[in-house]
Amino acid sequence: LGFGLFPMQLTLLIALTSIVLQLTPVQSLSMSYRGGRGRGGSRGGGRGGGRGEYYKNKYGRGGGRGRGRSDDTPRIASGGGSYSDLINCLERLDGKSYGAYHDLDTPLDRGWVNSEFGFSLFVERAQSDPFAAPTRCRIIIDKAKAAFPPSLYSNRIRSMALSDYLLRALHANCKKLGADEAMGGKGWSGPKGGDMQVLEPCQHVLEQSAVRVDENGNVVVQMSVNLPARGRNILGFAAKEIFSKTLPSMIGKSLLHKSLQAQNLQNHVDSIEDQCWLQTELPSKNLIAFLRNGAVLPRISGVDDRPMHSKTARPCES
């Protein structure tokens, strides 16, 4: 009788073995997740966990290693106040880790106010590293201080022409003052940054956001500042020089009506408005373009749209 039951026992043993073999991968994966060395992770984490999950829990999701952020809450800008507050802040930051430059960050509606030159400086987000993209700054000059006659921005074309003239003046003064040149330090630990960048104007008069005059007569400027550092430590007094002297000097020489040649400014705005009117008249005259006598048509090169030098080029004559 026992010999007769042996095949049934053997069949049952084989069936149980097959079930165990089928369950083993699932159990192994579950063990790996709980503490084994799983796929793509280290001890204590498998797929979906691992070392990445460990650092996310330690330093915060989205915050990165070493930032100490434990949640995804955005940083709240707390800067802004008088310009003397800004200068004191820069002096206090001297020698600190570069990330402390975030103390300059301002909310959208509260900037660093310079009463002498009539402008407010807004730092949207200071760069976190001296090798990162420069810090974007927004400057709003009050219409009372800018004092441009309303006739210069009475319509969209004239406002665009005025903004273009101011951009060219600001860019020229930035280069004249040497503000676009970075510090000449060498090596990782040497001084770096300290340069200010303004959009370089081209031969076309275009609507742009680098410098614009709004409908109320306020002048709004967008530019970047490469905050100075030595290694990864803040050069607070070098930054103080930029914001207390260089920036106000650029604004005073470029963006106030009293500092500009009024007749040249008026001629520039009138000329652009006349040109736009002539362009609208071309279709009715069955024309496609117009050229002024004495215009220099050749360009310096294929990558430089400035006119060729007058000694080389021949002016256009009808």
Side-chain angles (χ1 to χ4, degrees), residues 14-29:
I14 293 174
L16 291 173
T17 303
S18 176
I19 293 173
V20 171
L21 290 176
Q22 291 177 4
L23 291 175
T24 299
V26 179
Q27 293 173 343
S28 176
L29 181 60

Side-chain angles (χ1 to χ4, degrees), residues 217-263:
N218 302 309
V219 181
V220 183
V221 180
Q222 303 273 3
M223 62 185 302
S224 62
V225 179
N226 204 357
L227 297 174
R230 182 183 297 276
R232 294 187 184 275
N233 294 328
I234 292 174
L235 290 178
F237 288 93
K240 172 185 172 182
E241 184 78 11
I242 292 173
F243 289 108
S244 66
K245 295 183 179 180
T246 307
L247 180 60
S249 179
M250 288 172 56
I251 291 174
K253 294 180 178 180
S254 311
L255 304 175
L256 306 183
H257 184 260
K258 65 180 182 180
S259 303
L260 303 172
Q261 296 183 7
Q263 191 59 53

Side-chain angles (χ1 to χ4, degrees), residues 295-301 305-309 312-316:
V296 177
L297 302 183
R299 306 290 97 179
I300 290 180
S301 70
D305 67 351
R306 291 177 297 171
M308 186 178 291
H309 300 298
T312 307
R314 183 176 179 179
C316 174

Side-chain angles (χ1 to χ4, degrees), residues 160-161 163-164 167-168 202-209 211:
M160 177 183 68
S163 301
D164 176 82
L167 173 61
R168 296 178 190 277
C202 63
Q203 292 298 300
H204 307 284
V205 178
L206 304 170
E207 289 186 315
Q208 38 75 30
S209 59
V211 178

Side-chain angles (χ1 to χ4, degrees), residues 12-124:
L12 180 60
L13 179 62
I14 293 174
L16 291 173
T17 303
S18 176
I19 293 173
V20 171
L21 290 176
Q22 291 177 4
L23 291 175
T24 299
V26 179
Q27 293 173 343
S28 176
L29 181 60
S30 176
M31 290 175 63
S32 173
Y33 181 79
R34 288 197 300 265
R37 189 180 291 273
R39 181 178 176 185
S42 62
R43 291 176 182 172
R47 192 174 185 181
R51 197 167 289 173
E53 189 71 17
Y54 167 77
Y55 283 114
K56 286 180 181 178
N57 292 329
K58 182 175 182 179
Y59 295 111
R61 298 177 181 272
R65 183 180 297 184
R67 296 185 188 176
R69 302 282 301 281
S70 59
D71 53 31
D72 293 328
T73 304
R75 180 182 287 107
I76 299 176
S78 59
S82 68
Y83 222 66
S84 59
D85 293 335
L86 171 62
I87 301 306
N88 293 334
C89 179
L90 292 172
E91 292 178 349
R92 174 177 56 82
L93 293 178
D94 186 63
K96 291 190 175 182
S97 177
Y98 199 88
Y101 264 135
H102 283 298
D103 288 356
L104 303 181
D105 294 352
T106 59
L108 295 176
D109 59 349
R110 183 173 182 264
W112 303 101
V113 180
N114 188 314
S115 301
E116 179 182 357
F117 286 86
F119 70 86
S120 297
L121 168 67
F122 297 85
V123 181
E124 297 182 2

